[in-house]
Amino acid sequence: MMMVHSMSRDMMNRESPDKGLDSGKYVRYTPEQVEALERVYTECPKPSSLRRQQLIRECPILSNIEPKQIKVWFQNRRCREKQRKEAARLQTVNRKLNAMNKLLMEENDRLQKQVSNLVYENGHMKHQLHTASGTTTDNSCESVVVSGQQHQQQNPNPQHQQRDANNPAGLLSIAEEALAEFLSKATGTAVDWVQMIGMKPGPDSIGIVAISRNCSGIAARACGLVSLEPMKVAEILKDRPSWLRDCRSVDTLSVIPAGNGGTIELIYTQMYAPTTLAAARDFWTLRYSTCLEDGSYVVCERSLTSATGGPTGPPSSNFVRAEMKPSGFLIRPCDGGGSILHIVDHVDLDAWSVPEVMRPLYESSKILAQKMTVAALRHVRQIAQETSGEVQYGGGRQPAVLRTFSQRLCRGFNDAVNGFVDDGWSPMGSDGAEDVTVMINLSPGKFGGSQYGNSFLPSFGSGVLCAKASMLLQNVPPAVLVRFLREHRSEWADYGVDAYAAASLRASPFAVPCARAGGFPSNQVILPLAQTVEHEESLEVVRLEGHAYSPEDMGLARDMYLLQLCSGVDENVVGGCAQLVFAPIDESFADDAPLLPSGFRIIPLEQKSTPNGASANRTLDLASALEGSTRQAGEADPNGCNFRSVLTIAFQFTFDNHSRDSVASMARQYVRSIVGSIQRVALAIAPRPGSNISPISVPTSPEALTLVRWISRSYSLHTGADLFGSDSQTSGDTLLHQLWNHSDAILCCSLKTNASPVFTFANQTGLDMLETTLVALQDIMLDKTLDEPGRKGLCSEFPKIMQQGYAHLPAGVCASSMGRMVSYEQATVWKVLEDDESNHCLAFMFVNWSFV
């Protein structure tokens, strides 16, 4: 062994020169020389030729070394560093693969046991059916009844006497029962688990995720690898509000020591309601933490009810008491460091207490898996990678600070959606319509929490007002809608209302605006701050560029900033919730900056098929639908498929004593205008026959009539053909309707030499192809729509277009504003001339297009 170490040190002090030197010689470095070179390498791994010569001059001990030999030393040093990192990476991957292999073998054993149980049950049922067929009807019935009675006697439902919190032995027996049931779910066959689609195991995957089938309540299970020690994992997961966004509070009311260094805790947990349409849930549970004989650490939890025994929990006037069946997490130490983590969530959310149209949200194991089980595993993995330094964020912010911003945004939005009385919220009287709910909070002491801060109540302010609404969307993917809301803010937002919200950060009041449809057009610049490891959530700063169109609008001239959280934009996630939450911030953006969040949340409901074929492809106001017929909420489309999701909107504003009514009126009008915008966007995203939303109206302004005349005349002038064929009419209105309803996508694009061309007009088919509307069209640039071959083809044909007036482009592919690929058979481009023959714009016609 000493010989090996000696040889290794000798190799460290010798370097082979490059081919420019005598390849038969080696350079031997003294320890002092190596130390000097290492110091430089730490500062600059790849020094320039001048830096190497300077090094020789500054270090006399290197004077006998040639510059080329110094260069070779640095080359070899970089190579060794690269090899070391690669070896460490391969060792890590190998440990992960070994642990994952162990996990998969255990999962295979569990599945084999499940198959054996199913085979046994199948044989037993066949025997029972065969026996029943050989007897009379009366005896058969009696046999079945007796058999059922015997089964009940063999498996009695245990009834526990009421147990007191002062009786540790009684609580320990409940805890041991919960532990046994939890382990049978985590590693056994107590629940019929079905693996979720898209969750494939691997060294870099989230893990193995499964949901329950045909069990009481809803359940989800996940198991995966994390590079943290078991006790650290337990510490993270016990802090439920830090990773479960729907958790409002966790209060530990009693702690009782148990054997093996474990503890029993009596816990009261309050959860947020995800929408405005159902009450929030709470849990009264016993949590048991202990070490197992194999060194694993387990934390299991279950509700205390009259059936289980135990003390009675706190009363809950504003909550519906839900039941947590034995759940928890099992953490097993992994060879070589890290842990294997098993998580089980099993709850009964009392779905029968919510409106029928909302029940799928409370009966979906897929949604439970995404919101709780997978969220817990992702959070632990995120912390692990931040701890190891694998995640690097810009802007000089620590990962924990950025995580806190995300939590505060979600918590503030949840507070606004729920409007709890104990937070100081109270409803305002309605204006006669029940579509928008307005609540106010006049309790300054309630705003000292982390998500607000006292600065939200300056000298002119007296409270916070929240306007909120929920609506049912049909056939609109949540991820697509959130992406649209994020990327096309000018389609739905009012710049004046944004400016009023931003004024809450200043010490002087700002006039209450009148919400206008579309508001002022403004450019937005999205600056990314942080992104979770699996990119399911992103934190960013949005800069809204200010504009002043008149002296009274000077308050709009300054730029505004929003802190924004976007999540759920992956369309492939099953049961995923999509969310866009934002809050105004000032330019300083301090770590303790006050936040007053507003935004959108879209939660998918389970897809259902119904035998009746009545068309129900509509975007409805859900609050009014709940009071009406349930048939509308459950109707299916002509294809028998009814994909639905619930959209919740909440916007918060500060107000003073004199402006409360005007702010409330503005907020109601603003939310209603947003609802209308989303209905139009929903139609553009998912156009279906039978929708009760009217299509986008044909623009009839004089400018539009003139543009259509120019487009048609220029096409005929350049190509010698008529754009509308033999049925072409000469009147302006008729031409406009012919172009608007043309079967091919016709779009106009600006002719700019100093900026990227943007679309300025499109017919209905063109808007459908780009999946946008006339307002948002002007945010779409031509070079972002065409693919690389399309851009090159247009550039090569551009001189011909400018000289001859038109050109034909071959078949190709472009992208819609939603990122979907669109193929077309041919594109015709022509120059649109004004009446004085000057160039106005370019027109494009995409023939026979379709989504790929």
Side-chain angles (χ1 to χ4, degrees):
M1 183 65 71
M2 291 182 63
M3 182 183 297
V4 173
H5 285 299
S6 176
M7 291 176 63
S8 177
R9 285 195 302 270
D10 186 58
M11 291 298 294
M12 287 288 290
N13 294 337
R14 291 187 299 168
E15 300 293 341
S16 175
D18 60 13
K19 293 181 180 180
L21 301 176
D22 185 356
S23 59
K25 295 182 180 180
Y26 288 95
V27 178
R28 184 181 296 275
Y29 295 87
T30 66
E32 291 79 10
Q33 289 174 328
V34 172
E35 184 180 353
L37 291 170
E38 287 286 355
R39 282 198 303 269
V40 177
Y41 180 84
T42 303
E43 299 173 0
C44 179
K46 194 173 183 179
S48 64
S49 175
L50 292 176
R51 180 70 181 93
R52 292 195 299 270
Q53 292 175 5
Q54 180 185 2
L55 174 63
I56 294 175
R57 290 194 301 269
E58 293 177 351
C59 299
I61 58 175
L62 299 176
S63 59
N64 62 329
I65 308 296
E66 296 183 12
K68 284 189 176 181
Q69 293 169 341
I70 297 290
K71 177 181 178 181
V72 169
W73 186 93
F74 277 98
Q75 288 175 343
N76 292 342
R77 181 67 177 81
R78 290 193 299 271
C79 182
R80 287 197 301 270
E81 182 72 15
K82 184 178 180 181
Q83 290 175 342
R84 185 189 64 79
K85 290 181 178 180
E86 180 65 12
R89 187 189 68 83
L90 291 175
Q91 288 177 354
T92 301
V93 171
N94 185 57
R95 285 197 301 268
K96 287 183 178 180
L97 289 173
N98 287 335
M100 183 60 72
N101 181 59
K102 181 180 179 182
L103 202 59
L104 291 174
M105 291 176 64
E106 292 174 353
E107 181 70 5
N108 185 55
D109 291 341
R110 189 194 65 81
L111 290 174
Q112 287 181 350
K113 291 178 183 177
Q114 188 173 350
V115 169
S116 299
N117 290 340
L118 291 174
V119 171
Y120 173 78
E121 291 176 7
N122 186 47
H124 182 68
M125 290 183 67
K126 285 183 177 179
H127 177 72
Q128 290 246 354
L129 291 172
H130 178 72
T131 303
S133 64
T135 59
T136 63
T137 303
D138 292 339
N139 290 339
S140 173
C141 294
E142 183 178 355
S143 172
V144 172
V145 172
V146 171
S147 174
Q149 290 174 346
Q150 291 175 346
H151 180 75
Q152 289 179 355
Q153 291 172 0
Q154 292 173 359
N155 300 280
N157 185 20
Q159 297 292 329
H160 302 283
Q161 296 180 354
Q162 193 74 9
R163 293 168 185 168
D164 186 76
N166 297 322
N167 185 348
L171 291 178
L172 182 59
S173 66
I174 298 177
E176 293 291 349
E177 292 169 4
L179 174 61
E181 288 190 49
F182 161 69
L183 292 176
S184 67
K185 297 173 186 177
T187 60
T189 58
V191 172
D192 184 7
W193 297 113
V194 179
Q195 185 168 324
M196 281 187 68
I197 298 174
M199 296 294 182
K200 297 187 181 298
D204 297 319
S205 71
I206 186 65
I208 304 171
V209 182
I211 57 176
S212 62
R213 181 175 59 186
N214 300 327
C215 78
S216 173
I218 54 178
R221 188 191 69 157
C223 48
L225 310 174
V226 291
S227 55
L228 292 174
E229 296 306 312
M231 297 309 294
K232 180 63 177 177
V233 175
E235 177 187 341
I236 293 171
L237 292 180
K238 280 187 173 183
D239 184 14
R240 188 173 285 142
S242 70
W243 57 266
L244 181 56
R245 298 292 169 80
D246 286 346
C247 182
R248 185 191 185 207
S249 63
V250 175
D251 295 324
T252 303
L253 303 185
S254 181
V255 179
I256 303 170
N260 297 329
T263 56
I264 295 174
E265 302 165 280
L266 300 182
I267 295 176
Y268 177 61
T269 303
Q270 291 183 346
M271 306 290 290
Y272 288 110
T275 72
T276 62
L277 302 167
R281 266 49 184 168
D282 67 352
F283 295 93
W284 170 240
T285 58
L286 177 147
R287 185 166 70 186
Y288 181 37
S289 307
T290 188
C291 288
L292 302 182
E293 293 180 357
D294 62 357
S296 302
Y297 190 76
V298 63
V299 178
C300 62
E301 190 171 357
R302 75 169 305 164
S303 287
L304 294 177
T305 64
S306 58
T308 62
T312 304
S316 55
S317 57
N318 298 318
F319 294 82
V320 173
R321 182 62 50 86
E323 181 183 0
M324 181 183 295
K325 299 179 183 296
S327 307
F329 42 92
L330 170 66
I331 314 164
R332 299 158 56 192
C334 188
D335 295 338
S339 306
I340 298 177
L341 175 60
H342 300 256
I343 304 174
V344 172
D345 292 304
H346 191 177
V347 296
D348 184 346
L349 298 176
D350 192 11
W352 292 102
S353 65
V354 302
E356 184 176 356
V357 71
M358 291 292 296
R359 285 178 193 166
L361 182 58
Y362 293 80
E363 296 174 336
S364 171
S365 293
K366 296 176 184 176
I367 294 179
L368 176 72
Q370 291 294 345
K371 296 183 73 173
M372 288 188 67
T373 318
V374 176
L377 190 53
R378 278 179 173 151
H379 182 72
V380 175
R381 286 167 56 92
Q382 181 77 24
I383 298 293
Q385 297 205 18
E386 290 175 1
T387 304
S388 65
E390 297 179 44
V391 180
Q392 298 292 332
Y393 294 142
R397 306 271 181 174
Q398 292 296 322
V401 174
L402 297 174
R403 257 200 331 273
T404 302
F405 276 126
S406 301
Q407 293 165 3
R408 290 172 57 198
L409 283 172
C410 285
R411 186 173 183 83
F413 184 70
N414 278 326
D415 283 333
V417 169
N418 285 261
F420 290 116
V421 175
D422 57 353
D423 278 342
W425 291 99
S426 60
M428 282 189 70
S430 70
D431 60 351
E434 302 294 336
D435 55 337
V436 178
T437 301
V438 176
M439 303 189 75
I440 59 173
N441 196 320
L442 301 174
S443 305
K446 299 294 182 181
F447 291 89
S450 60
Q451 72 269 28
Y452 295 109
N454 292 326
S455 59
F456 262 124
L457 296 176
S459 58
F460 69 93
S462 61
V464 172
L465 179 145
C466 175
K468 52 190 176 181
S470 290
M471 56 192 295
L472 182 68
L473 299 174
Q474 304 261 141
N475 300 320
V476 179
V480 176
L481 180 56
V482 161
R483 282 208 307 269
F484 187 93
L485 294 171
R486 173 182 176 269
E487 296 170 5
H488 303 282
R489 187 179 181 86
S490 61
E491 172 69 13
W492 56 267
D494 187 314
Y495 192 82
V497 176
D498 284 337
Y500 176 80
S504 62
L505 303 174
R506 300 194 292 270
S508 58
F510 188 76
V512 178
C514 175
R516 289 158 286 199
F520 292 109
S522 63
N523 296 325
Q524 68 170 4
V525 179
I526 298 177
L527 309 171
L529 275 181
Q531 200 170 42
T532 50
V533 173
E534 297 186 10
H535 299 174
E536 76 279 359
E537 185 177 274
S538 59
L539 184 69
E540 52 205 17
V541 171
V542 181
R543 187 179 79 238
L544 304 177
E545 297 178 354
H547 300 283
Y549 295 91
S550 62
E552 58 268 20
D553 290 330
M554 287 307 295
L556 307 178
R558 66 170 67 187
D559 289 351
M560 293 179 295
Y561 297 87
L562 302 174
L563 182 64
Q564 181 167 276
L565 182 70
C566 182
S567 60
V569 295
D570 185 356
E571 295 181 61
N572 298 320
V573 174
V574 180
C577 164
Q579 189 168 262
L580 184 71
V581 180
F582 43 85
I585 56 174
D586 58 21
E587 296 181 13
S588 64
F589 187 26
D591 290 351
D592 58 350
L595 301 177
L596 192 65
S598 304
F600 308 88
R601 175 183 292 148
I602 308 107
I603 305 176
L605 301 175
E606 290 283 3
Q607 186 169 319
K608 291 187 176 182
S609 296
T610 60
N612 101 36
S615 175
N617 292 334
R618 61 185 113 226
T619 304
L620 300 171
D621 176 273
L622 189 53
S624 59
L626 294 177
E627 300 298 330
S629 170
T630 57
R631 181 189 64 82
Q632 290 184 341
E635 287 175 351
D637 65 11
N639 298 323
C641 177
N642 187 5
F643 176 77
R644 302 178 298 175
S645 54
V646 177
L647 168 65
T648 299
I649 307 170
F651 279 78
Q652 298 190 82
F653 307 95
T654 59
F655 64 89
D656 61 24
N657 292 326
H658 306 290
S659 64
R660 185 177 72 174
D661 292 340
S662 57
V663 172
S665 176
M666 177 270 293
R668 284 194 181 95
Q669 184 182 351
Y670 188 43
V671 170
R672 285 170 182 155
S673 72
I674 291 174
V675 169
S677 298
I678 290 177
Q679 287 177 333
R680 292 191 296 271
V681 170
L683 180 62
I685 293 175
R688 295 288 187 274
S691 174
N692 71 341
I693 306 176
S694 60
I696 301 173
S697 58
V698 181
T700 57
S701 65
E703 293 82 2
L705 296 173
T706 301
L707 177 62
V708 170
R709 182 169 55 83
W710 289 347
I711 293 172
S712 174
R713 185 176 65 87
S714 299
Y715 184 85
S716 301
L717 178 65
H718 298 314
T719 65
D722 199 299
L723 181 61
F724 307 114
S726 59
D727 297 332
S728 177
Q729 302 293 325
T730 57
S731 66
D733 289 343
T734 305
L735 275 178
L736 178 58
H737 280 82
Q738 284 182 323
L739 184 138
W740 185 255
N741 297 313
H742 200 283
S743 59
D744 295 323
I746 300 176
L747 305 99
C748 291
C749 180
S750 61
L751 261 175
K752 296 181 180 180
T753 57
N754 59 346
S756 297
V758 297
F759 290 109
T760 57
F761 178 81
N763 66 348
Q764 178 67 69
T765 309
L767 296 177
D768 291 342
M769 185 185 79
L770 292 182
E771 295 185 291
T772 187
T773 61
L774 282 173
V775 176
L777 180 69
Q778 300 177 16
D779 295 332
I780 303 175
M781 292 188 293
L782 176 64
D783 58 352
K784 299 294 185 184
T785 302
L786 299 176
D787 64 352
E788 185 66 24
R791 290 192 294 269
K792 290 182 178 179
L794 179 60
C795 289
S796 64
E797 294 289 339
F798 189 76
K800 177 181 177 182
I801 296 171
M802 299 308 294
Q803 181 179 2
Q804 180 178 310
Y806 79 102
H808 295 295
L809 303 181
V813 176
C814 61
S816 75
S817 64
M818 296 289 103
R820 287 210 285 175
M821 304 310 295
V822 181
S823 64
Y824 53 89
E825 291 185 3
Q826 178 182 287
T828 301
V829 189
W830 69 97
K831 206 170 39 169
V832 176
L833 304 177
E834 299 181 3
D835 291 331
D836 60 359
E837 301 301 320
S838 61
N839 296 331
H840 179 74
C841 65
L842 285 181
F844 291 78
M845 181 165 65
F846 295 92
V847 180
N848 292 337
W849 64 270
S850 62
F851 289 110
V852 178

